[in-house]
Amino acid sequence: MKQRSWIEKIAALAIILMPVIYLAYVFKDAPATVPIHFGLDGKADGFGDKSSLWTLVIIMAVTSIGVYLLLNNLPKIDPKKTAKLSQDMFKKMSLAVVIFLAALSIIITDAAINGTFMLNKFLFPLISLFLAYFGNIMISLKPNYFAGIRVPWTLESEDNWKATHRMAGKLWFIGGIVLAVLTLIVPTEAANIFFIIGIAILAIAPIIYSFNYFKKNSKKQSV
């Protein structure tokens, strides 16, 4: 078990360092001035010195390390001791976040060097697949105060939590995959609309479901 834990930590560190290695590899050939901000159309609307890319990559790497350590040590710092029930899920989440941030860092670096940031071809599918992955593990997530659909009705009822996360897990998994495919194949303008609407549905639907579940069971108890 300890050997596996060390392998996972080394793998996470290697993934965190990938954007740093990538930037070091392309930095010499990068233009002196690079885009540092892009509009929704993917066109650059802000520029800066290429050295600013190091600041971005380092911030992302430090953030990855911080999130990885936090999620892996939640059971130790959780005063209510609920996180230990989902310790394996938090470990899976921590690695997913590390991969997501590393990929995002590389995408941004590549966009800055090449001068074009295609949201629908890179960022939207990446976020969508991340949500699909989270949806896949959400079903197994036990009640806690750190991750999941944390609304009053789920936190007060374990049955509500299970039902809501079973529904949300399926919705996020299927919805994430559908969003990833849609944003890849449709034009940029349509991808922006589909992504915003899709994310809104994924965020709001589980909350509505949880509330309706609460109301339905409240009526049963009052009869």
Side-chain angles (χ1 to χ4, degrees), residues 96-165:
V97 171
V98 165
I99 294 172
F100 173 79
L101 291 178
L104 180 59
S105 185
I106 291 174
I107 288 172
I108 294 174
T109 300
D110 183 73
I113 292 174
N114 293 311
T116 303
F117 192 13
M118 300 180 70
L119 291 172
N120 61 312
K121 303 304 180 186
F122 297 106
L123 184 60
F124 289 169
L126 177 64
I127 295 175
S128 300
L129 291 176
F130 176 76
L131 292 175
Y133 175 81
F134 191 75
N136 189 47
I137 65 176
M138 187 185 293
I139 298 175
S140 303
L141 198 62
K142 305 298 182 183
N144 69 90
Y145 291 87
F146 301 97
I149 313 300
R150 291 165 294 123
V151 292
W153 316 292
T154 57
L155 293 176
E156 290 181 4
S157 168
E158 186 172 352
D159 289 338
N160 192 311
W161 177 281
K162 289 180 179 179
T164 299
H165 284 74

Side-chain angles (χ1 to χ4, degrees), residues 6-214:
W6 274 107
I7 292 174
E8 290 175 350
K9 291 176 181 178
I10 292 172
L13 181 59
I15 294 170
I16 290 170
L17 290 177
M18 280 183 183
V20 178
I21 296 171
Y22 175 71
L23 179 56
Y25 177 74
V26 301
F27 189 77
K28 183 180 65 174
D29 298 323
T33 301
V34 297
I36 57 175
H37 190 272
F38 296 85
L40 289 177
D41 57 358
K43 295 181 180 179
D45 55 14
F47 297 85
D49 188 271
K50 70 176 183 179
S51 60
S52 61
L53 293 176
W54 282 113
T55 303
L56 171 66
V57 168
I58 291 173
I59 288 175
M60 296 284 276
V62 171
T63 301
S64 292
I65 294 172
V67 173
Y68 181 83
L69 291 175
L70 175 63
L71 290 175
N72 276 274
N73 289 282
L74 276 178
K76 298 178 182 178
I77 62 176
D78 177 18
K80 293 185 177 292
K81 305 302 179 183
T82 58
K84 66 180 181 180
L85 300 175
S86 302
Q87 187 170 0
D88 289 340
M89 296 302 105
F90 284 122
K91 286 183 178 180
K92 292 179 179 179
M93 271 187 265
S94 68
L95 188 58
V97 171
V98 165
I99 294 172
F100 173 79
L101 291 178
L104 180 59
S105 185
I106 291 174
I107 288 172
I108 294 174
T109 300
D110 183 73
I113 292 174
N114 293 311
T116 303
F117 192 13
M118 300 180 70
L119 291 172
N120 61 312
K121 303 304 180 186
F122 297 106
L123 184 60
F124 289 169
L126 177 64
I127 295 175
S128 300
L129 291 176
F130 176 76
L131 292 175
Y133 175 81
F134 191 75
N136 189 47
I137 65 176
M138 187 185 293
I139 298 175
S140 303
L141 198 62
K142 305 298 182 183
N144 69 90
Y145 291 87
F146 301 97
I149 313 300
R150 291 165 294 123
V151 292
W153 316 292
T154 57
L155 293 176
E156 290 181 4
S157 168
E158 186 172 352
D159 289 338
N160 192 311
W161 177 281
K162 289 180 179 179
T164 299
H165 284 74
R166 187 162 52 245
M167 172 269 182
K170 295 176 181 177
L171 177 66
W172 282 34
F173 179 73
I174 297 173
I177 293 175
V178 170
L179 269 181
V181 174
L182 273 178
T183 53
L184 274 173
I185 64 177
V186 301
T188 301
E189 294 77 9
N192 293 338
I193 296 172
F194 278 127
F195 185 76
I196 293 172
I197 293 175
I199 292 298
I201 292 173
L202 295 183
I204 296 173
I207 297 176
I208 295 175
Y209 179 90
S210 177
F211 178 72
N212 288 335
Y213 187 94
F214 163 74

